[in-house]
Amino acid sequence: EFDRCKYNNMVEIEKCRKWEFSQVTSNHFTWCQKPWYCVTSQGQPLCNAFRESWWKRMNRFETEILGFKEARSECKRKPYPFLKYYQSPYVLQYLKEHGYETTEPDIPDEKNEKKHI
């Protein structure tokens, strides 16, 4: 059986909240909330560490892999903007080389989408 504090740590179990970030192999954002929801009120240091790590990796992905000049802000404003992958020079190059459509897709208005949920 896997140790739930080391693997898939959700910080919902009291003993797992005391773990250090470096001790955890993987986490799940259910209890801590998804970083892109911009909810940071749990008051748990481990949740904060998971969020900070996610933002660092996401920012690196956006700049190094997708080729954006700068990454999106980390919840400086809400709602958090969706990743516009179709604006990536690398993604556009891939789509063109493989015969895919390169026009921007229609993105629903985030505020209107939330009203219908």
Side-chain angles (χ1 to χ4, degrees):
E1 184 171 315
F2 288 103
D3 185 337
R4 289 214 32 219
C5 295
K6 182 167 183 62
Y7 303 98
N8 204 36
N9 188 325
M10 291 195 284
V11 192
E12 87 286 16
I13 299 172
E14 186 64 36
K15 71 176 185 171
C16 295
R17 292 178 187 168
K18 297 177 177 136
W19 279 52
E20 295 292 323
F21 177 79
S22 61
Q23 297 173 295
V24 179
T25 299
S26 63
N27 73 290
H28 190 101
F29 282 114
T30 298
W31 194 84
C32 291
Q33 297 300 305
K34 314 303 187 259
W36 54 93
Y37 289 167
C38 303
V39 176
T40 59
S41 59
Q42 292 86 7
Q44 294 295 328
L46 194 50
C47 285
N48 295 338
F50 289 155
R51 254 189 310 279
E52 288 172 19
S53 175
W54 187 88
W55 281 113
K56 285 178 186 173
R57 286 180 283 127
M58 192 61 189
N59 288 342
R60 187 172 174 204
F61 173 75
E62 290 177 19
T63 56
E64 294 180 21
I65 304 299
L66 294 180
F68 292 132
K69 291 186 173 137
E70 60 183 45
R72 294 168 294 164
S73 62
E74 301 174 14
C75 294
K76 302 290 188 242
R77 61 184 174 83
K78 293 180 182 179
Y80 181 67
F82 291 114
L83 177 63
K84 295 179 180 175
Y85 64 89
Y86 49 83
Q87 293 178 351
S88 161
Y90 301 129
V91 171
L92 287 174
Q93 180 181 348
Y94 176 87
L95 293 174
K96 287 176 188 174
E97 288 174 358
H98 291 85
Y100 293 104
E101 182 66 41
T102 58
T103 56
E104 288 190 19
D106 290 330
I107 303 294
D109 181 25
E110 296 173 36
K111 294 176 186 172
N112 289 334
E113 282 296 303
K114 292 181 181 182
K115 290 179 184 176
H116 298 293
I117 294 177

